Amino acid sequence: STGKFTFDPGFMSTGACESAITYIDGAKGELLYRGYAIEDLARHCDYLDVCHLLLKGELPTPEEKADFDYVVTHHTMVHEQMVRFFSGFRRDAHPMSVLVACVGALAAFYHDSLDITQAEHRHVASIRLISKMPTLVAMAYKYSQGQPFAYPRNKLSYAANFMHQMFSTPCDEYVPNEVLVRALDRILILHADHEQNASTSTVRLAGSSGANPFACIAAGIATLWGPAHGGANEAALVMLEDLLAQGGVEKIGEFIKKVKDKESGVKLMGFGHRVYKNYDPRAKLMQETCAEVLQELGLGNDPLFKLAMALEKIALEDDYFVSRKLYPNVDFYSGIVQRAMGIPTSMFTCIFALARTVGWIAQWSEMLGDPDQKIGRPRQLYIGQTRRPITTPSTKT
Ligand code: SDX
């Protein structure tokens, strides 16, 4: 039997960190970036405004915006040798496996030129990552399609440039659709940061050892990949497509029954949250964005969107979900809108990673800016064997 240890009251320190970047009130369903409500930022700002806000603590003045956007835009190319890195992958590799590897590999290009104890160098690393993530995500997609990479275009906005790199070919230049570009920009804002979620905590822990920021972000991407975290948007869309194929709205009752049966292991993907015990404000904005995009594309009656809204309505009237405070989260509608925009399911989590890069790197930089910062060391509650002698004859003579 395992012995019981006694612990001093302070032992159960939650290991919480101090941060001034993002605030969530899970009970109220409130999300603030540096004090600004996500609803206001999503409606009145663009993603690079939000990047400036998360990194610097303030929205940019017009002059600051011009400078910030210029610097980000003019660092979107990756070192040409990175192109050769891709040829080692199978074409059907999951894009997240390619992204983890490529972002980690960026360390090889910027390792010795960065002294991350300097705030300015941390800012340079942050800009490099924000600039190059869209390029690497688009390259992962192009590689999976067997298409040539499309180089960034400096005259395009951040979101339009990403869409160009995803969908332009040498035969056809992508023509930005303003509604879709604005929708993508808003999707990036909604995913930009979310205080100490699993992937951000990974980046902070990796960064606390002084590891290279590119390696830390690669660790964050690996963590986000899980279906309980960033992989949920891909899983939620597959869940909705399967339900539609099985009969759609009239099969919702049967599906909900399966979800309630723990033995089935079936979860309502895109529902529930570790912190929100109310409606995730991002889910509402995502639903709005979804409706706008479908309208623009003449898909106002998209069966998948209708099914998702019917499923949400029925779930939110069912005591199983209400009693457990399970509401839609950011992932419930995000797959539907990205699919409508022509983004393949396999790319959803890559785009989540693209958007979250600024949150990860802002939190990493904030942590390293604390003069009292020490290497992270999560505590454990030991429940194993107490000390004991070897009584069974050891095989070793
Ligand atoms: C993200 O942390 C963040 O901020 C993450 C994120 C971010 O921006 O970084 O917001 C992004 O990861 C959003 C979450 C995406 N994941 C999913 O949508 C996957 C489905 N959701 C579940 O896996 C779950 O809701 C979690 C992991 C998201 C949250 O789990 P909790 O809060 O720890 O809740 P739990 O697992 O303890 O569940 C409490 C109860 C359990 O039932 P009982 O044991 O009380 O009987 O609710 C049930 C769970 O079985 N439950 C679900 C459910 N989620 C929880 N039942 C069915 N479907 C679900 N989705």
Side-chain angles (χ1 to χ4, degrees), residues 247-280:
V249 177
E250 65 256 28
K251 289 290 181 188
I252 288 179
E254 209 176 293
F255 175 71
I256 294 268
K257 234 161 87 195
K258 240 190 257 167
V259 169
K260 291 182 193 176
D261 166 17
K262 293 278 192 254
E263 303 292 306
S264 74
V266 174
K267 285 207 178 243
L268 178 42
M269 298 310 281
F271 254 67
H273 200 274
R274 291 310 298 270
V275 178
Y276 289 122
K277 301 307 170 191
N278 198 327
Y279 212 105
D280 181 338

